[in-house]
Each structure stands twice: as structure tokens, then as C-alpha cells.
């Protein structure tokens, strides 16, 4: 929606400039898109006079003109056919931007002659759609006069209209809101009744009152159509509308001025003397055929549209010939042109939903459809017709008939009780009752005193153009936006009391800690479905019919998952298919081992697919040991008893590689973790390339640490550091054990030999080969000894060494000679 400041001043007495108006509109809730100032574009252009014009020496169609300009005498090359001596025209200096051409003028030769500027046409300045040559101005206009003032270029405000405010689609409605916002004083105009001189020869019949409840019209005979006067053309072209002729321009003017669409029919082109408003129907040519084709209408835009039973159709010829789509667009067959002498002016009210559906179905976006779809004021039917009659008589002459009025307009909005104290209750604004009543009255609401026995002292009746106002909160919003949202008090909310302790359960805290730890280790979190395909669930020990869904969201998600591994494997495969094979993913979520509540477990599952790019230095360290290191770090972060865990091999389930997997457990009945390489058979079934390594922690099986909990739920709270002032020392041992013996058992045995003095045990070598029997391996351990109270003597060190050897020998290790 666009309008100019001068147009607004037809309805509003104000001294505010266009920028003040735009600011006030924004504060009142109107979404101003931009303020377009054509005068700024025309600022470089001034009036000039051609003193002489001679043929260009190197071009037959060009002339070299000596031009008197505001900058003095200039030589300008011009190709316009009407360039001649004595012509007063428009001059553009070097450096000016010509909007119609989209170029900035530079000094350059034209066929060997330098042109010191340009002589412009109206189209080159975007003052008209086309022109035959440079603009011809009256000779009495002085040289140097700014062009912007000559053409009356003025700023245009462009704003967006929300669907609930159809009254803003007319300049009068905008002026009403601005007057209420104290930007000016609203001008009130009474629309004079134009008495008819004869009965209307055209009658109206409503066959679809649900689509068009009310229809009014009148004939005006003896009109003289033609180009509109300059003031009307200027008003329409300023907002981007093309002037067509006086009759059409009047309807466009009223649509934008009063938000009241109208239509004008050429009486000579009507068939019969009756206009019928009905629903769309099957065309007469195919009516005898079952399921015949819908009737068609050639509209004013030159396009042909098929009208269905959901569309409102205006017809003549006894209702047989469609001549318009009600509330959307008229037909080409009855359009007005220069030869029109008698017209029928239509002013009706069409159901907004019907109009909106017609526009959407047929792809028509006309000014009338835009307004009717949002809801035109039903009370404006007769006033709009009277206003159009007066303008047509003033511009085209003629004699009007009496008004034909058929139907009943929809009921006006119902009144409701309102307490002005509600404004402060909802907004905090402390406004006097008089101020609230004044705002509502200026917006068109009728405020009267309520019954004495009623709690709310006022009865408020919304105006006919505000059908969006249905209750007290709507009135409060009206008062708040007009008073100004910047007037809302900014009292801060009272500070909420902080909880005495943490709000996370131990398990939730562990999940949060695990998520952060894995992210820090370089894993990306995946959030997958809690479902999988039943055949996939079978591969991971699930697929029980009790866990099959009756109504799955997809065919391949029909079973509750027994593990998070299949979904992560498929996620890694999808990444690999898109060029990202080297994946590291994790997920924390539920798995389902049965159909009871006790069969649900929470797992922390991580997966790596070591497919790094080839490198001359080799593949690097073993991915399995890297994964195990990440697992150990994670277990320590969540407070698991890492030192007490037993590592067992050969007992993992079928989806793990039998020789490259293990489990961590606290005794045979509490399996906390399974880890290792996934079986190639399983990967092939899931269309994933190996190797893929993973671990899965059953969080329910991880015991909570004893003693005081830390803030993150991950273990005991740390006290002060217990650092010894004495230097540590190391001793190396090599033990021969059976090849199947877990090295972790040796590490735990050596660590437990003397927990007070042994700070750490590290594996630094595993050897198989010459000097070691087949089926055995040599494991080298570095034992870090940390004295506490005094430096250890040689005898004390030897005694500690003997304890380490004895402890490892209990695990089957033999000190290598």
C-alpha cells in the first residue's frame, strides 16, 4: 500500500513532514517498508534551453546542440528527433545518474564530438512510461529551474498491511489512526446523497447470497469518457498505478482512498437488463454432457479463467453469460472505453473467504481481490457508490438513476462491556479514563455508559470497519499502540530465588559429563531414532515380536532398537557414501531389551570408522588402542571404578569380531562395557565398509561412586593436591604369560602390590618371537614408585620389587630372565 503526503493531507490537517509521518505510523503499529523520495532522484536535473542545433559531422541522426544551462553554455550531442533551436527542455550534467537508463553520465566523445551532458526525455527520468523525444517544457520557465518542482514529485510512503486491518488499505483509514496518535486533526467529510433522476433500467438478482450478501448499483447515462485530468493522473501514477481513463481511474481512486473497491460496466455491452450474482457453473455448451466443462471468462487482464462452483460469478443474459468474478476482476466483454456513454456502477460486499479462495485458485492478485479478501467495510456499500457517482458526474458529466439495492449487509460487530482499568492491568500504563475514551472515540469506537449493576462501567461498540476487535484485550492493544509502545513501563520482574542445590539427577549429570567429554575427544554427537528395522534388530540380539511397532512411522523403523550401534553404523555409512568416511560418532540414549519398563537401558555408544587419507608416514597408532584410551578417559570422567574393572575376551556377542573385541565388567554378572571391532558380517548387512570400531557403555550398570558427589555427578569432590616432595623412581619388569592372558590383569596385579607406594604401572612393550615360546608373550611393565615420608632404602626397594613379582606370578606371569 502506497500514498503520498499530499493525498494524506486531504484527510488530515498536519504540519508533519513525510519522515515524521512514517515514524508515527511505525509507532502506531503500521509496518513502514520505505519512504520513496523521487525528488532526490531528480535533484541533479534542471531546465535548459537549446540555442542552436546543427547536424553532427559524423552521424546523420545526431545533432550538436549549444545549450544554455544552469552551468553556463554547454555543447551537448543529442539524438532526439525533436531537438531544435529555441526548445526548452531538461538538462542532466556530467556525473548525474539517469534512473530510466541506469547509467551515470561521464564526459566522453560521441562520434568524435564530446558531449558535456545530456538532454532528457520524460521516460529517461521515469516520469512516464514512454516518450517520443526529449521533454518539451513551456518556454517561459527560467533556465536553471529544478525539474523536481515542475513535475510535483513528492515522497511516497510504502507500508505493509497486516491481514486484520483492511481499513488501512485506504488513505482515510491511515489518517484516522494518525489523528488518534496526535499527528494531526482528522477532516470529516459528509458524502452527499446524489438523487436519481429516473429508475434504474438495470436490475440485480442475488442467487448466491452466501457469496454476496448485498449488492448496490446505479446507471449513469450520457457520460463522456476520456483521459483523466492531470491531478487524478498524478495522484495515481505517484503510487505506481497506470492511468487508464476517467471511469476506471475513479474506481481506482476510491479503492485506495476509502478502501472501497468498485466496478463500472458499459451498459451498451450488457446483454439484457438484469445482472445476476451466482456461483460458477458448467458452461452452456457442455451442460448436456455429464461432468461438463466449467464456464470461462475473459477478464480485463486479457487472460481466460475457468469459474468453478466455489467462485462468485457476475452474469448477464438472464444469468447465462459470465461478465465478472465477484470481488476479483471484471470481464473484458463489458469493459469501459472511450466510446462508453452509459455505465452501471457496482458497489457490493463479497464474502472474504470466497474471494480469497478464488484468487488463490485462479492465481489472480488484483487490488479488489486484495481488499475484499481481507474484509471491506460492509457499511461503505452505499456511501462508496454515492462518492463514485459524484466524481463521475464531475469528471464525465451525465445523469444518474436511482440506486438499486439488493440484499442485507452482514451484521456490525457486537458491543461488549469494558473496564478502562483493564488497560493498566494488562500493560501497566497509568492512563486517565478520559484519555482512554478519547483514543477509542478517535478510532471510531462508540463508548457509552454501562448498566449500574454491571462490573464494567463502559459498553464499547466497534465500528463496522474493525471486525477484528472482539474483546477487552483487543481494546487494550488499541490504546497501547496509539499511546505508544515506548510508554510501556519497564519495571523489572522480581528476581527468582535460586535453587538450593543442583537440579540434575546423578544420571542426568553423568549424561551431561559424558556428552562434553566425548565432544572434547573429537566425537560428533548423533541423534538417531529409537527404532530400527526388525531384521537389523535381529543382528544385534533383538527383533522380538513384542518390540515390533503396530503403526511405525516408516517401513524400515518398525522395531524398538536393542542397541544404538546399528543406527550409528548406518549414519557412518551415509557419511562415507557422501565422501566423509573417517567418522567418529557418539549417541546417548535408550535401548530396549524387552517390553517391560525394567527392560529399558540407557547407553553411551561411540563409534569410529578409521578411514583417514593415505599418508607416507603410515596409518599411525592402532585405532583400537586409541578407542580404548578414549573409553578409559570417559569412564574416569563419569566416575566409573576403572581400577576395579576386569577385561575379558572371547565372551562378546555375535555382532563383535571374536578375536578383536572384549568386555569390561565388575564380576561376571555386571557387564558395563563391550568394545572392539564390529563383525564384517554385520557391516555387510548394513551396507557399511569396515573396519568400524565401537564401544557401548550400559549406564545403568555403572555404580555411583561412594562418598561425596561432585557437582557434575562424576565422582568424589576433589580435595587439595597430595604432592610428595620426594622424587619418584621407576623399575622395569618383563613377564612371560600365555598369549591369551589380558595384559590388564597384569597391570592391576602390579598396581595392587603396594597401593601406598606404587603410583602408576605402564605397559611399554609386548614381544612375541625369538626367546619366547610359541603361545606365550613377553609383557614389559614400567612401575612408578613414589616415596611418601622418606627416601626408600635399597632393601625397601628390593622388598617392593618382590611384592610386584609375587603379585604378577599369581596371575600366571613369570619373570623373564
Amino acid at each position: 500500500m502506497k500514498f503520498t503526503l499530499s493525498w494524506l493531507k486531504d484527510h488530515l490537517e498536519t504540519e508533519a513532514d513525510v519522515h515524521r509521518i512514517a515514524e508515527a505510523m511505525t509507532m502506531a503499529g503500521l509496518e513502514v517498508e520505505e519512504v520513496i523520495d523521487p525528488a532526490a532522484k531528480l535533484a541533479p536535473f534542471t531546465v535548459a534551453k537549446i540555442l542552436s542545433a546543427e547536424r553532427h559531422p559524423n552521424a546523420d541522426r545526431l545533432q550538436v546542440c549549444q545549450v544554455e544551462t544552469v552551468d553556463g553554455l554547454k555543447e551537448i550531442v543529442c539524438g532526439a528527433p525533436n531537438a531544435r533551436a529555441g526548445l526548452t527542455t531538461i538538462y542532466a550534467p556530467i556525473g548525474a545518474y539517469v534512473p530510466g537508463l541506469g547509467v551515470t553520465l561521464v564526459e566522453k566523445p560521441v562520434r568524435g564530438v564530446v558531449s558535456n551532458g545530456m538532454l532528457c526525455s520524460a521516460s529517461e527520468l521515469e516520469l512516464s512510461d514512454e516518450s517520443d523525444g526529449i521533454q518539451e517544457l513551456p518556454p517561459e520557465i527560467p533556465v536553471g529551474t529544478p525539474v523536481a518542482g515542475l513535475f510535483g514529485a513528492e515522497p511516497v510512503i510504502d507500508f505493509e498491511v497486516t491481514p486484520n486491518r483492511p481499513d488501512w488499505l485506504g488513505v482515510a483509514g491511515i489518517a484516522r489512526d494518525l489523528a488518534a496518535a496526535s499527528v494531526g486533526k482528522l477532516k470529516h467529510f459528509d458524502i452527499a446523497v446524489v438523487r436519481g433522476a429516473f429508475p434504474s433500467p438495470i436490475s440485480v438478482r442475488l442467487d448466491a447470497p452466501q457469496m454476496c450478501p448485498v449488492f448496490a448499483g446505479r446507471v449513469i447515462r450520457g457520460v463522456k469518457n476520456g483521459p483523466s485530468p492531470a491531478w487524478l493522473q498524478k495522484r495515481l501514477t505517484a503510487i505506481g498505478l497506470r492511468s487508464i481513463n476517467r471511469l476506471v481511474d475513479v474506481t481506482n481512486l476510491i479503492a485506495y482512498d476509502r478502501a472501497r473497491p468498485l466496478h463500472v460496466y458499459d451498459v451498451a455491452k450488457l446483454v439484457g437488463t438484469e445482472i445476476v450474482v451466482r456461483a460458477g457453473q458448467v458452461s452452456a455448451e457442455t451442460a448436456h454432457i455429464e461432468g461438463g466443462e466449467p464456464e470461462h471468462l475473459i477478464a480485463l487482464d486479457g487472460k481466460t479463467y475457468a469459474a468453478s462452483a466455489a467462485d462468485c460469478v457476475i452474469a448477464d443474459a438472464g444469468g447465462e453469460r459470465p461478465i465478472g468474478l465477484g470481488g476479483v476482476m471484471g470481464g473484458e466483454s463489458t469493459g469501459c472505453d472511450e466510446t462508453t456513454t452509459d455505465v452501471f456502477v457496482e458497489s457490493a460486499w463479497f464474502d472474504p473467504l470466497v474471494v480469497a479462495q478464488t484468487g488463490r485458485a485462479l492465481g489472480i492478485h488484483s487490488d479488489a481481490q486484495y481488499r475484499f479478501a481481507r474484509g471491506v467495510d460492509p457499511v461503505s456499500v452505499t456511501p462508496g457508490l454515492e462518492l463514485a457517482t459524484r466524481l463521475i458526474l464531475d469528471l464525465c458529466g451525465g445523469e444518474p438513476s436511482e440506486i438499486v439495492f439488493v440484499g442485507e449487509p452482514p451484521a456490525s460487530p457486537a458491543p461488549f462491556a469494558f473496564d478502562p482499568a483493564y488497560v493498566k492491568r494488562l500493560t501497566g500504563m497509568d492512563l486517565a479514563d478520559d484519555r482512554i475514551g478519547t483514543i477509542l472515540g478517535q478510532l471510531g469506537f462508540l463508548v457509552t455508559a454501562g448498566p449500574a449493576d454491571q462490573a464494567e462501567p463502559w459498553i464499547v461498540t466497534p465500528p463496522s470497519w474493525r471486525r477484528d476487535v472482539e474483546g477487552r484485550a483487543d481494546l487494550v492493544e488499541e490504546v497501547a499502540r496509539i499511546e505508544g509502545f515506548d510508554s510501556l513501563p519497564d519495571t523489572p520482574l522480581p528476581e527468582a530465588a535460586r535453587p538450593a542445590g543442583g537440579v540434575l539427577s546423578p544420571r542426568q549429570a553423568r549424561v551431561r559429563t559424558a556428552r562434553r567429554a566425548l565432544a572434547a575427544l573429537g566425537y560428533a554427537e548423533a541423534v538417531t531414532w529409537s527404532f530400527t528395522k526388525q531384521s537389523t534388530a535381529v543382528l544385534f540380539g533383538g527383533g522380538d515380536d513384542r518390540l515390533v511397532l503396530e503403526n511405525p512411522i516408516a517401513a524400515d523403523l518398525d522395531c524398538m532398537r536393542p542397541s544404538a550401534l546399528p543406527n550409528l553404523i548406518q549414519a557412518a555409512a551415509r557419511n562415507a557414501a557422501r565422501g566423509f568416511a573417517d567418522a567418529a560418532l557418539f549417541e546417548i540414549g535408550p535401548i530396549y531389551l524387552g517390553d517391560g519398563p525394567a527392560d529399558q537401558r540407557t547407553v553411551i555408544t561411540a563409534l569410529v570408522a578409521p578411514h583417514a587419507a593415505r599418508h607416507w608416514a603410515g596409518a599411525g597408532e592402532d585405532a583400537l588402542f586409541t578407542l580404548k584410551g578414549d573409553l578409559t578417559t570417559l569412564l574416569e570422567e563419569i566416575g566409573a571404578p576403572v581400577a576395579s574393572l576386569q577385561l575379558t575376551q572371547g565372551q562378546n556377542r555375535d555382532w563383535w569380531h571374536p578375536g578383536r573385541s572384549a568386555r569390561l565388567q565388575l564380576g561376571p554378572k555386571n557387564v558395563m562395557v563391550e568394545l572392539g571391532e564390529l563383525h564384517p558380517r554385520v557391516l555387510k548387512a548394513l551396507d557399511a565398509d569396515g573396519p568400524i570400531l565401537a564401544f557401548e557403555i550400559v549406564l545403568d550398570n555403572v555404580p555411583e561412586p561412594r562418598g561425596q558427589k561432585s557437582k557434575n555427578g562424576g565422582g568424589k569432590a576433589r580435595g587439595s593436591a597430595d604432592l610428595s616432595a620426594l622424587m619418584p623412581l621407576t623399575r622395569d619388569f618383563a613377564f612371560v604369560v600365555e598369549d591369551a592372558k589380558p595384559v590388564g590383569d597384569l597391570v592391576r596385579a602390579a598396581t595392587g602390590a603396594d597401593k601406598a607406594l606404587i603410583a602408576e604401572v605402564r605397559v611399554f612393550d609386548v614381544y612375541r618371537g625369538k626367546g619366547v615360546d610359541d603361545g606365550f608373550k613377553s609383557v614389559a611393565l614400567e612401575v612408578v614408585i613414589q616415596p611418601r615420608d622418606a627416601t626408600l632404602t635399597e632393601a625397601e626397594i628390593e622388598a617392593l620389587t618382590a611384592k610386584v613379582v609375587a603379585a604378577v606370578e599369581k596371575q600366571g606371569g613369570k619373570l623373564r630372565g
Side-chain angles (χ1 to χ4, degrees):
M1 174 68 184
K2 298 178 181 179
F3 66 93
T4 61
L5 183 59
S6 63
W7 194 340
L8 178 67
K9 288 184 176 181
D10 285 351
H11 299 277
L12 185 71
E13 294 180 9
T14 181
E15 299 298 326
D17 61 12
V18 67
H19 298 289
R20 171 73 181 92
I21 294 294
E23 180 183 359
M25 289 174 63
T26 301
M27 295 305 296
L30 289 91
E31 302 176 17
V32 177
E33 295 287 335
E34 63 176 328
V35 177
I36 307 166
D37 190 358
K41 295 192 299 183
L42 298 177
F45 304 96
T46 54
V47 174
K49 188 170 186 177
I50 302 176
L51 300 181
S52 65
E54 299 179 357
R55 187 177 301 278
H56 193 289
N58 301 319
D60 293 339
R61 296 185 179 182
L62 299 178
Q63 297 187 74
V64 179
C65 304
Q66 304 300 319
V67 184
E68 181 184 359
T69 73
V70 68
D71 301 322
L73 189 64
K74 297 287 184 179
E75 186 173 72
I76 298 175
V77 178
C78 181
N82 63 332
R84 61 187 183 274
L87 178 65
T88 301
T89 186
I90 299 173
Y91 159 69
I94 298 296
Y97 176 78
V98 183
L101 300 178
V103 299
T104 300
L105 300 180
V106 295
E107 186 176 320
K108 65 177 183 179
V110 180
R111 294 289 183 95
V113 178
V114 175
S115 182
N116 299 286
M118 178 180 177
L119 301 179
C120 302
S121 67
S123 62
E124 289 166 340
L125 300 187
E126 295 183 340
L127 296 172
S128 68
D129 293 335
E130 55 186 22
S131 52
D132 296 330
I134 57 176
Q135 182 69 32
E136 298 191 16
L137 299 174
E140 61 270 14
I141 301 177
V143 171
T145 302
V147 171
L150 294 178
F151 289 91
E154 61 175 322
V156 175
I157 296 178
D158 184 5
F159 70 99
E160 193 69 29
V161 178
T162 54
N164 66 314
R165 292 304 303 272
D167 57 306
W168 282 345
L169 290 169
V171 180
I174 300 165
R176 184 188 303 111
D177 275 28
L178 290 174
S182 303
V183 180
K185 183 179 180 181
L186 186 66
K187 298 179 181 179
H188 294 279
F189 298 100
D190 292 329
I191 299 176
V193 175
V194 179
R195 298 191 178 278
F198 56 93
S200 172
I202 304 296
S203 61
V204 178
R205 187 177 85 232
L206 294 181
D207 287 351
Q210 73 281 6
M211 295 180 170
C212 177
V214 59
F215 191 107
R218 77 186 328 160
V219 171
I220 304 178
R221 62 190 182 192
V223 301
K224 184 178 182 181
N225 200 10
S228 295
W231 70 267
L232 182 52
Q233 292 189 36
K234 175 184 173 182
R235 177 153 291 184
L236 296 178
T237 55
I239 61 172
L241 294 180
R242 182 172 59 91
S243 176
I244 299 175
N245 55 54
R246 295 174 193 170
L247 292 171
V248 176
D249 289 355
V250 164
T251 63
N252 286 334
L253 176 70
I254 296 175
Y256 277 81
D257 189 72
R258 303 299 176 100
R260 163 34 68 183
L262 303 163
H263 187 64
V264 181
Y265 301 90
D266 188 332
V267 172
K269 298 177 181 179
L270 291 173
V271 177
T273 60
E274 183 182 46
I275 288 178
V276 180
V277 183
R278 57 170 174 79
Q281 61 188 21
V282 176
S283 64
E285 293 80 4
T286 62
H288 63 285
I289 303 174
E290 183 177 354
E293 295 183 1
E295 59 186 344
H296 289 76
L297 167 74
I298 302 176
L300 286 172
D301 60 1
K303 299 179 181 179
T304 301
Y305 299 100
S308 69
D311 304 319
C312 181
V313 171
I314 313 298
D316 63 0
E320 292 298 323
R321 186 182 72 149
I323 59 174
L325 294 169
V328 179
M329 187 174 290
E332 187 181 74
S333 60
T334 56
C336 297
D337 53 31
E338 304 297 326
T339 64
T340 299
T341 57
D342 298 340
V343 296
F344 180 79
V345 184
E346 167 198 297
S347 179
W349 192 88
F350 299 95
D351 182 81
L353 186 59
V354 172
V355 174
Q357 290 175 339
T358 297
R360 186 161 49 249
L362 301 180
I364 303 177
H365 304 285
S366 64
D367 287 339
Q369 188 269 345
Y370 188 76
R371 285 161 172 77
F372 276 119
R374 280 157 177 76
V376 173
D377 180 10
V379 178
S380 68
V381 170
T382 300
L385 181 59
E386 297 283 14
L387 182 59
T389 302
R390 175 49 56 196
L391 284 171
I392 292 173
L393 295 179
D394 291 344
L395 298 178
C396 306
E399 184 180 29
S401 75
E402 296 173 354
I403 291 177
V404 177
F405 191 95
V406 182
E408 187 71 28
S412 296
F416 53 86
F418 179 69
D419 186 351
Y422 202 58
V423 173
K424 184 175 182 180
R425 177 182 170 188
L426 284 189
T427 67
M429 290 181 172
D430 194 4
L431 302 179
D433 291 358
D434 289 346
R435 174 58 180 158
I436 296 173
T438 298
I439 291 175
L440 295 177
Q442 289 176 320
L443 292 176
F445 293 87
L446 177 62
V447 180
T448 58
D453 58 346
Q454 183 173 286
E456 287 84 357
W458 291 357
I459 297 295
V460 178
T461 305
S464 57
W465 60 84
R466 290 302 307 275
R467 311 183 82 83
D468 60 307
V469 176
E470 298 176 347
R472 300 181 300 169
D474 296 325
L475 293 182
V476 173
E477 180 184 3
E478 293 299 301
V479 173
R481 72 179 183 86
I482 295 300
E483 184 66 20
F485 291 121
D486 55 342
S487 301
L488 290 170
D490 54 357
T491 304
L493 293 172
E495 184 176 355
R498 296 180 179 272
V503 295
L504 298 180
S505 68
R507 176 178 293 186
Q508 290 172 327
R510 276 184 161 179
V511 167
R512 183 176 66 176
T513 301
R515 181 175 286 112
R516 292 178 176 176
L518 285 168
L521 290 169
Y523 292 77
E525 183 174 10
V527 180
T528 68
W529 297 104
S530 294
F531 325 114
T532 188
K533 195 173 183 180
Q534 186 178 16
S535 59
T536 301
V538 171
L539 295 174
F540 289 84
D544 193 320
D545 289 340
R546 294 175 299 169
L547 297 178
V548 175
L549 304 177
E550 292 184 359
N551 186 23
I553 59 175
D556 56 351
L557 296 172
D558 60 348
C559 184
M560 305 303 293
R561 65 183 184 184
S563 168
L565 282 171
N567 291 352
L568 282 183
I569 293 170
Q570 291 173 323
R574 286 192 294 270
N575 277 272
R578 289 160 177 79
F580 300 95
D582 192 32
L585 306 174
F586 80 92
E587 181 175 9
I588 303 176
I591 62 172
Y592 305 88
L593 307 180
D595 61 348
D599 296 320
Q600 181 175 327
R601 302 285 189 273
T602 300
V603 296
I604 304 173
T605 307
L607 169 151
V608 292
H611 295 86
R614 292 184 297 176
H615 194 270
W616 63 269
E621 58 183 342
D622 194 331
L624 181 58
F625 287 102
T626 302
L627 179 76
K628 183 182 176 184
D630 293 342
L631 171 61
T632 302
T633 300
L634 175 60
L635 291 173
E636 290 174 346
E637 285 291 326
I638 65 175
V642 178
S644 303
L645 292 176
Q646 301 170 358
L647 186 142
T648 61
Q649 292 179 280
Q651 299 181 26
N652 278 31
R653 289 173 284 189
D654 293 342
W655 54 91
W656 296 102
H657 196 297
R660 303 176 188 175
S661 60
R663 57 170 55 175
L664 296 177
Q665 59 189 33
L666 287 172
K669 294 185 178 180
N670 186 358
V671 179
M672 285 176 42
V673 186
E674 289 189 345
L675 73 152
E677 185 175 332
L678 291 160
H679 202 292
R681 171 182 53 82
V682 173
L683 297 181
K684 183 178 180 181
L686 297 180
D687 198 21
D689 294 331
I692 293 180
L693 302 96
F695 63 77
E696 189 162 63
I697 304 172
V698 180
L699 194 58
D700 306 74
N701 294 346
V702 180
E704 294 186 22
R706 298 176 182 177
Q708 184 181 1
K709 301 293 190 299
S710 65
K711 290 183 179 179
N712 62 4
K716 296 181 180 181
R718 294 181 180 179
S720 59
D722 182 16
L723 302 178
S724 175
L726 302 175
M727 286 288 292
L729 65 150
T730 62
R731 286 291 183 270
D732 294 345
F733 301 85
F735 294 97
V736 177
V737 295
E738 292 182 359
D739 204 9
K741 184 66 175 179
V743 175
D745 292 348
L746 307 185
V747 172
R748 280 191 297 273
T751 303
D754 192 328
K755 295 182 179 181
L757 292 177
I758 297 177
E760 187 178 3
V761 177
R762 293 189 288 259
V763 179
F764 66 88
D765 184 48
V766 177
Y767 172 74
R768 299 176 182 86
K770 187 177 180 180
V772 178
D773 295 340
D774 292 341
F776 289 84
K777 61 186 175 183
S778 174
V779 179
L781 304 179
E782 180 187 39
V783 179
V784 181
I785 303 169
Q786 177 62 65
R788 295 293 175 180
D789 301 324
T791 301
L792 297 177
T793 64
E794 191 67 28
E796 290 172 330
I797 295 175
E798 289 299 331
L800 181 60
T801 301
K803 288 182 180 180
V804 171
V805 173
V808 176
E809 285 180 345
K810 289 181 180 179
Q811 295 294 326
K814 182 180 178 181
L815 190 64
R816 185 178 176 187

